[in-house]
Amino acid sequence: MSKRCEPPATFAPAPEASPLRDRLRSALIGAAKAAGVALGLAFPLLAYRTETDFSNALVLQERWAAVAAIALAAFVVRLICLLIPGRTKAASSPRRRRAEFAAIVARSRRLISAAGLASLIAFPLVVLVLLGPARSLKWIDSYGIQILIYMTLGWGLNIVVGLAGLLDLGYVAFYAVGAYSYALLSTNFGWSFWASLPIAGLLAALWGVALGFPVLRLRGDYLAIVTLAFGEIIRIVLTNWTDLTNGEAGVSSIPRVSFFGLPFIAGPEGFAAHFGLAYSPIYRVIFLFYLALALALLTNFVTLRLRRMPLGRAWEALREDEIACRSLGINTVAVKLAAFALGALVGGLAGAVFAARQGFVSPSSFTFIESATILAIVVLGGAGSQLGVALAALFIIGGSELLRELDWLQHIVGEGFDPTQYRMLIIGFALIVIMNWKPRGLIANRTPSVFLAEPRLAAPALAEEGRV
Amino acid sequence: MEIFLQQLINGVTLGSIYGLIAIGYTMVFGIIGMVNFAHGDIFMLSTFIALILFLALTQILGVSSVALSFVLAMVAAMALTSLWSYMLERLAYRRLRKSFRLAPLISAIGASIFLSNLVYVLQGPRNRPAPSLFDAVIKVTHGGGYDVTLSAKQILIVLVTALLLAAFWVVVQKTPLGRAQRACAQDMRMAALLGIDVDRTISFTFVIGGALAAVAGVLYILYYGVVNSGDGFIPGVKAFTAAVLGGIGSLPGAVVGGLLIGLIETFWAAYISSDYKDVAAFSILAATLVFMPSGLFGRPDVEKV
Amino acid sequence: MRAPHTALLSVEHLTMRFGGVIAIDDLSFTAARGEITALIGPNGAGKTTVFNCVTGFYKPSAGRLALTPSGAAAPEDLLALTQSGRRFSETASGEIYLLERMADFEIAQRGRVARTFQNIRLFAGMTALENLIVAQHNALMAASGPGLWGLFGLPSHRARQKAAIETAKYWLEQIDLIGRADDPAGALPYGAQRRLEIARAMCARPALLCLDEPAAGLNPRESAELAALLRAIRDEHAASILLIEHDMSVVMEISDHIVVLDYGEKIADGAPSAIRKDPKVIKAYLGVDDEDEVDLAASGTRA
């Protein structure tokens, strides 16, 4: 290869070029290090997969190509990161752009909310018209109702985590109390859904107060761990108290929800016959959808209203600075307890709807992973932001359901490929990324609860630092 | 009496493992005041690393000595798990030291979910049975139709634990890095002013925690003979309970707490209810945090106003 | 004409130990109604610890802290309350509170003791106005029932809310921040944050206002404004003030009464003119901290 072929820029005289060359060299070294680390991390876990053979002993399958790919990817990504000029100078413009974007979102918040509400109300009917009764069942049920239940749970947990700043890792316990309350009341005593619903909510709230009372004096991270412990204890009790809960097998044939007393059944007493319609399970599903929607909207309404009231302001003040709250005569234990009880109440109501939707409950629906998913909805959406939580529920739960639709990838990637197993992997990764990159969540602006002049947003800079 | 003695042996064995994991929690809490929720999953990860390495050594490289393969796998697992623990701190926690107070914990929860599901994806959902090693069993006494036994595994577990704790003690007490570590745990700002590289010291803490968790992982799979990608959670919580019970931030406390949790768990399972043995650990965790937050050996936490 | 100088807060034999360290040793003093009482002393003398005991953030190891917001307590009533084991009582001469028995929020709520903090503790993400409304939490809660009537927009709640905003506006005007009412408190300049914290404490309508180094970090002009504000609080709002301050010019200018602490013990107690000449005070300051000694001397010559 002759020297003339070399591009002159890279071969330029030493004095000017040396910074560039040094930079290139250090970037290459950095990238090599990253590749080395990636190799070290990937080496045993990715390189070998353990499989059991016929005699139930383990054998290893090699996957070196994947290891090489990971190392190469680490090298390239790191190299690009190191070669792209330092962020310090360029930082102002993306930040400003982001602030502008946030302002646009904030201004159009009303519009987005109204559009969202309208599409939620129209959703079952649109699906029904587009797909017909048989095929729309799945969409209204797995997507519609399930997302609404998680939206409600997200909004309920948002009261505790987003507004009051109390990290509750055992939220699923209240969801379980609600679900089991309805399941047991209906199967053992023949209570209807409508009679059980308030009981489910109240029992959950009662548990919230009973569990909350001793622990609410604890510092934030201890509180989180204790709530986690309570959540697990409730699950273990549900699993092992077989006389009451039927243990791992769960409670099945929970009565379906009725149309204010009219059951959704095929016979002449049923809803369809009463209104002169042909029987179809779709009516029940659509009714349940609107029921879940009503519950979600009620939660949202109460939360938005409370934010503008002394109790809600005390929650936010508590999140900002507990000691200052106490110095102003705020009974912080009572205020925390109110947040805990209200959050639990919402969880309990959502649990009853869940039990009515499934017709079956078992302890496996109430694991720590479930709490973590709800927490991820709150954290990703933006702790304290109602709209953000709603959108996060849509993305996370809708996305998880969509993963189920990707079965056809098996034909490409290979047999045994199960896209749904990546769901929690992605959620876990998202939690880390959000905390490091946008700790206040995707929608991080806070609207003041009261104002003298005109509504404005908390400074995005403060929000970005996660101080707000 | 014989059952009691047997449970005592089993409890000490289990407690040693918990103690090793608990040190990782307590050291990290001591130095940066965060609950490293993902530490249990680092422990689980290490069991897989060790298992794979052991299989690779015996099956692919054809090392015939079981003891040699075991030691090599353990040492390599310690190194690789330390790397995981180190990268965990670098990527998931380091930027959050000045963020709002719950940010590191939430990130750690994310990391915990990520790690356990990573192993799930890479290694599959089913239980992995490990080759059974060191199967010799010594009969200690006999009475009431009941043999009290002490297995070679149990002896090995307690011995390895004791040896590593001693080595760890020397590292923390005698080496410059250990001194820096203790200084940072006392007062990070002051340590930084005195020229201690705080970042490096925190990394060192995670490396040590990871290495000890790897030892615990190796001993765990040796003892139970089976592991699953979800196995980080419950032992993790129990080890954290041990750290809290011993007084979080206190190293001897972590070891004593580990032994206590191991004993309580085995006795609870033997005499009260094995179905509810996890409830015992969780209840102790909650009760300790509520009624005795500084644990057995911890310093009382004075609220800064 | 100011109210007669009866004791509002009597601190008797207050002792606070942390482990083996004695932070405050057998301290007694009184803060009189309608006066500004300053608590001064070198760094580490235990001033903030006294504050934390008075406001209930620390439980004193020993001693009695009697607060009598509406009048001096008859000694027999005080004795009866102390022996009864109760936290407070209503007597013919007014209510008596034993602060060492009360929880922090109770001291603020019932005893009407408000405070500021050495390192400002505002609700940084909430607006200045919201900070002042949170301070009126208890009054607002009383009007909104258990916090629920407002859900349905009941008039009693709305009227109270309006009054709370008026109070907040009044204080925002007093501290010259009315123009920034809707800005997040954390975005305000340092001096403004200090003033806002005082206004927030005043929105709780305290009988005793405890200020922990309100002039720290202020420039001379801001310090002068602060002095005027504190005098106005004392004279126009019937609030007595307990003050920790290092800026001797402020202390000497506005205090009616000074208590000097050193190593947790009281070394002097009296009017500013007497304190200035007290040899023990001069020695404590000279021996410990050059900067404070200069301040003391400078303010001495100025006065």
Side-chain angles (χ1 to χ4, degrees):
Chain A
M1 195 191 284
S2 79
K3 269 186 185 171
R4 264 183 300 163
C5 293
E6 302 276 5
T10 58
F11 222 39
E16 295 98 87
S18 71
L20 185 70
R21 200 193 282 166
D22 282 356
R23 203 167 148 160
L24 193 65
R25 185 192 293 149
S26 69
L28 280 172
I29 292 172
K33 269 189 198 159
V37 168
L39 267 182
L41 295 182
F43 159 56
L45 283 173
L46 182 60
Y48 295 108
R49 183 183 167 104
T50 49
E51 285 293 347
T52 39
D53 64 7
F54 296 112
S55 62
N56 203 32
L58 284 182
V59 291
L60 296 177
Q61 287 175 353
E62 303 190 9
R63 292 183 293 201
W64 289 104
V67 175
I70 289 285
L72 187 68
F75 183 85
V76 170
V77 169
R78 186 78 187 134
L79 190 65
I80 291 171
C81 285
L82 289 172
L83 283 180
I84 280 177
R87 278 268 191 80
T88 43
K89 274 178 249 162
S92 66
S93 85
R95 172 167 286 193
R96 194 188 309 148
R97 230 180 301 140
R98 237 184 291 157
E100 279 167 12
F101 175 72
I104 291 169
V105 169
R107 248 178 283 130
S108 45
R109 188 174 292 197
R110 271 211 130 92
L111 197 69
I112 297 175
S113 305
L117 181 61
S119 46
L120 278 176
I121 292 173
F123 175 76
L125 305 175
V126 170
V127 172
L128 196 60
V129 169
L130 289 180
L131 298 174
R135 282 172 60 213
S136 54
L137 205 59
K138 182 189 83 181
W139 283 93
I140 299 173
D141 191 38
S142 318
Y143 287 84
I145 300 177
Q146 201 180 311
I147 290 172
L148 283 174
I149 289 177
Y150 276 95
M151 205 182 273
T152 312
L153 288 170
W155 278 337
L157 185 61
N158 194 26
I159 296 171
V160 184
V161 176
L163 291 182
L166 306 166
L167 187 52
D168 181 354
L169 296 180
Y171 190 61
V172 77
F174 308 126
Y175 187 44
V177 168
Y180 269 90
S181 298
Y182 172 48
L184 295 175
L185 283 174
S186 63
T187 52
N188 290 336
F189 305 107
W191 285 41
S192 75
F193 175 79
W194 295 103
S196 312
L197 185 67
I199 304 293
L202 285 178
L203 277 178
L206 209 65
W207 273 99
V209 172
L211 299 186
F213 196 70
V215 305
L216 287 174
R217 271 166 255 263
L218 298 177
R219 42 174 284 184
D221 41 1
Y222 281 9
L223 174 76
I225 300 291
V226 174
T227 53
L228 169 83
F230 279 146
E232 285 300 298
I233 289 174
I234 288 198
R235 188 179 59 79
I236 297 169
V237 170
L238 288 177
T239 312
N240 290 305
W241 192 359
T242 38
D243 293 342
L244 181 72
T245 64
N246 200 21
E248 204 74 75
V251 182
S252 53
S253 52
I254 300 167
R256 300 295 193 165
V257 64
S258 65
F259 185 77
F260 306 106
L262 266 184
F264 291 96
I265 50 171
E269 269 91 63
F271 169 86
H274 190 267
F275 287 93
L277 301 160
Y279 171 75
S280 161
I282 194 77
Y283 300 123
R284 179 178 54 78
V285 171
I286 290 178
F287 180 66
L288 201 57
F289 178 91
Y290 284 114
L291 181 72
L293 180 62
L295 179 62
L297 291 179
L298 181 71
T299 309
N300 184 37
F301 170 78
V302 170
T303 310
L304 287 179
R305 217 42 202 263
L306 278 175
R307 254 203 85 212
R308 289 181 177 74
M309 304 210 344
L311 184 61
R313 281 201 205 98
W315 284 338
E316 289 200 81
L318 190 71
R319 180 189 69 203
E320 301 282 321
D321 195 324
E322 179 174 347
I323 286 174
C325 279
R326 300 211 305 251
S327 83
L328 294 169
I330 297 175
N331 182 347
T332 49
V333 170
V335 167
K336 288 177 183 177
L337 215 50
F340 232 64
L342 193 61
L345 174 78
V346 172
L349 295 176
V353 175
F354 170 79
R357 174 190 166 234
Q358 304 279 95
F360 165 73
V361 290
S362 78
S364 62
S365 302
F366 308 105
T367 56
F368 170 68
I369 286 300
E370 208 61 24
S371 286
T373 307
I374 305 166
L375 180 69
I377 289 173
V378 174
V379 168
L380 258 57
S385 159
Q386 296 291 100
L387 180 60
V389 169
L391 291 177
L394 183 68
F395 284 129
I396 292 183
I397 304 305
S400 310
E401 284 301 314
L402 277 177
L403 283 178
R404 284 185 216 277
E405 314 275 320
L406 298 178
D407 289 347
W408 49 269
L409 277 176
Q410 284 196 4
H411 300 299
I412 305 166
V413 184
E415 203 62 32
F417 175 78
D418 177 11
T420 53
Q421 64 181 327
Y422 291 91
R423 167 175 170 235
M424 289 316 292
L425 190 71
I426 296 168
I427 288 181
F429 187 68
L431 277 176
I432 303 175
V433 170
I434 283 285
M435 278 301 114
N436 279 279
W437 170 63
K438 234 175 174 302
R440 288 288 297 165
L442 295 173
I443 297 193
N445 299 293
R446 178 181 175 276
T447 326
S449 62
V450 58
F451 38 84
L452 276 192
E454 88 243 57
R456 258 186 289 174
L457 295 166
L462 275 170
E464 294 233 326
E465 288 160 22
R467 294 212 37 215
V468 177
Chain B
M1 184 60 214
E2 282 72 27
I3 296 179
F4 178 86
L5 193 60
Q6 183 67 66
Q7 297 312 325
L8 193 67
I9 294 170
N10 296 350
V12 169
T13 315
L14 192 57
S16 315
I17 296 176
Y18 290 151
L20 285 171
I21 312 173
I23 287 177
Y25 282 108
T26 219
M27 278 177 88
V28 167
F29 193 92
I31 196 164
I32 47 176
M34 77 169 279
V35 179
N36 179 14
F37 199 81
H39 190 61
D41 298 275
I42 290 283
F43 152 79
M44 175 276 302
L45 201 79
S46 76
T47 61
F48 273 89
I49 293 177
L51 177 61
I52 293 169
L53 289 174
F54 181 80
L55 291 174
L57 283 168
T58 50
Q59 291 178 7
I60 296 173
L61 298 179
V63 179
S64 56
S65 157
V66 168
L68 180 65
S69 304
F70 179 78
V71 170
L72 283 178
M74 183 158 99
V75 171
M78 284 169 75
L80 289 170
T81 310
S82 299
L83 182 66
W84 275 97
S85 190
Y86 168 81
M87 289 309 289
L88 173 71
E89 192 271 332
R90 279 303 296 269
L91 298 178
Y93 305 153
R94 180 164 291 185
R95 280 168 49 115
L96 298 179
R97 270 182 231 150
K98 292 202 172 67
S99 189
F100 71 107
R101 65 203 157 88
L102 290 175
L105 180 57
I106 295 175
S107 187
I109 291 166
S112 162
I113 296 170
F114 178 78
L115 289 176
S116 64
N117 282 279
L118 184 72
V119 173
Y120 180 94
V121 166
L122 293 180
Q123 296 293 329
R126 280 184 298 277
N127 279 339
R128 304 284 112 173
S132 77
L133 309 172
F134 313 117
D135 282 331
V137 169
I138 304 160
K139 199 162 103 180
V140 182
T141 69
H142 176 89
Y146 189 88
D147 284 335
V148 177
T149 59
L150 181 61
S151 69
K153 281 176 195 172
Q154 289 175 319
I155 298 172
L156 186 71
I157 287 169
V158 175
L159 275 182
V160 170
T161 304
L163 199 71
L164 272 147
L165 285 181
F168 165 74
W169 191 250
V170 171
V171 167
V172 173
Q173 293 296 326
K174 305 283 181 206
T175 65
L177 265 174
R179 209 174 306 127
Q181 203 272 336
R182 283 181 292 139
C184 286
Q186 288 278 322
D187 187 337
M188 181 130 39
R189 281 241 311 273
M190 194 63 211
L193 287 174
L194 292 174
I196 291 175
D197 185 341
V198 171
D199 281 346
R200 215 175 66 145
T201 311
I202 292 172
S203 290
F204 168 74
T205 305
F206 275 84
V207 164
I208 291 279
L212 290 179
V215 177
V218 172
L219 300 180
Y220 180 87
I221 196 166
L222 178 74
Y223 193 51
Y224 284 103
V226 62
V227 70
N228 174 291
S229 65
D231 278 352
F233 183 65
I234 293 285
V237 172
K238 286 180 184 161
F240 179 71
T241 308
V244 168
L245 186 62
I248 194 144
S250 154
L251 297 178
V255 179
V256 174
L259 286 174
L260 276 175
I261 291 295
L263 288 168
I264 291 169
E265 185 183 330
T266 42
F267 278 106
W268 184 291
Y271 290 105
I272 299 175
S273 158
S274 69
D275 287 340
Y276 287 97
K277 72 177 168 128
D278 292 346
V279 170
F282 286 119
S283 310
I284 291 168
L285 176 60
T288 312
L289 285 176
V290 172
F291 299 111
M292 202 175 60
S294 51
L296 295 173
F297 300 99
R299 284 170 296 179
D301 190 20
V302 176
E303 186 174 39
K304 283 254 183 264
V305 177
Chain C
M1 193 60 209
R2 272 200 249 137
H5 294 182
T6 53
L8 170 66
L9 172 72
S10 317
V11 175
E12 294 159 272
H13 307 292
L14 175 66
T15 301
M16 183 76 209
R17 284 182 290 266
F18 295 105
V21 184
I22 299 177
I24 304 170
D25 191 10
D26 197 26
L27 171 71
S28 300
F29 71 92
T30 57
R33 190 181 324 280
E35 283 195 349
I36 295 178
T37 306
L39 204 54
I40 67 169
N43 284 328
K47 303 179 298 280
T48 299
T49 308
V50 173
F51 257 44
N52 286 339
C53 289
V54 169
T55 51
F57 285 92
Y58 292 166
K59 283 278 155 260
S61 311
R64 183 168 70 182
L65 303 159
L67 181 79
T68 47
S70 48
E76 61 274 13
D77 290 337
L78 184 56
L79 189 68
L81 175 62
T82 310
Q83 285 169 349
S84 73
R86 285 165 53 223
R87 292 166 297 165
F88 45 85
S89 70
E90 299 263 355
T91 66
S93 54
E95 58 286 26
I96 311 171
Y97 299 95
L98 291 183
L99 304 184
E100 77 278 9
R101 295 179 185 173
M102 294 166 70
D104 41 23
F105 77 90
E106 247 181 347
I107 291 174
Q109 185 181 5
R110 291 175 184 275
R112 289 169 53 225
V113 177
R115 71 171 289 178
T116 65
F117 296 88
Q118 203 170 335
N119 43 346
I120 307 172
R121 284 183 174 273
L122 287 167
F123 306 122
M126 302 173 84
T127 65
L129 180 65
E130 284 178 307
N131 268 272
L132 300 192
I133 289 180
V134 169
Q136 304 174 58
H137 175 81
N138 287 315
L140 281 165
M141 279 303 260
S144 71
L148 298 175
W149 308 140
L151 270 185
F152 314 107
L154 286 195
S156 70
H157 168 72
R158 261 184 297 178
R160 190 62 195 80
Q161 163 109 350
K162 214 173 213 168
I165 294 178
E166 287 308 314
T167 307
K169 267 163 87 174
Y170 169 82
W171 279 107
L172 284 169
E173 274 158 11
Q174 293 298 301
I175 60 168
D176 210 15
L177 281 177
I178 190 78
R180 307 201 62 177
D182 297 329
D183 287 350
L188 297 173
Y190 184 81
Q193 292 196 14
R194 282 248 174 250
R195 297 204 301 278
L196 184 61
E197 207 190 13
I198 296 172
R200 186 180 67 180
M202 283 312 293
C203 280
R205 299 181 192 275
L208 176 66
L209 175 64
C210 300
L211 302 173
D212 198 343
E213 299 201 21
L218 301 189
N219 62 35
R221 191 177 56 80
E222 287 174 323
S223 292
E225 285 169 5
L226 175 78
L229 176 69
L230 296 188
R231 271 205 216 94
I233 287 173
R234 175 192 64 191
D235 297 338
E236 293 161 27
H237 294 277
S240 314
I241 295 177
L242 186 61
L243 174 78
I244 294 178
E245 189 45 70
H246 274 296
D247 183 336
M248 284 304 151
S249 63
V250 173
V251 171
M252 291 296 166
E253 193 186 331
I254 65 170
S255 304
D256 300 303
H257 177 107
I258 297 178
V259 177
V260 190
L261 287 187
D262 194 18
Y263 292 112
E265 287 179 54
K266 184 166 85 173
I267 56 169
D269 185 347
S273 52
I275 294 296
R276 209 169 5 234
K277 298 189 202 96
D278 194 306
K280 270 156 110 185
V281 176
I282 293 168
K283 186 168 165 250
Y285 272 87
L286 277 176
V288 175
D289 196 319
D290 288 345
E291 218 174 298
D292 284 329
E293 168 247 318
V294 173
D295 279 352
L296 191 70
S299 57
T301 52
R302 217 184 297 153

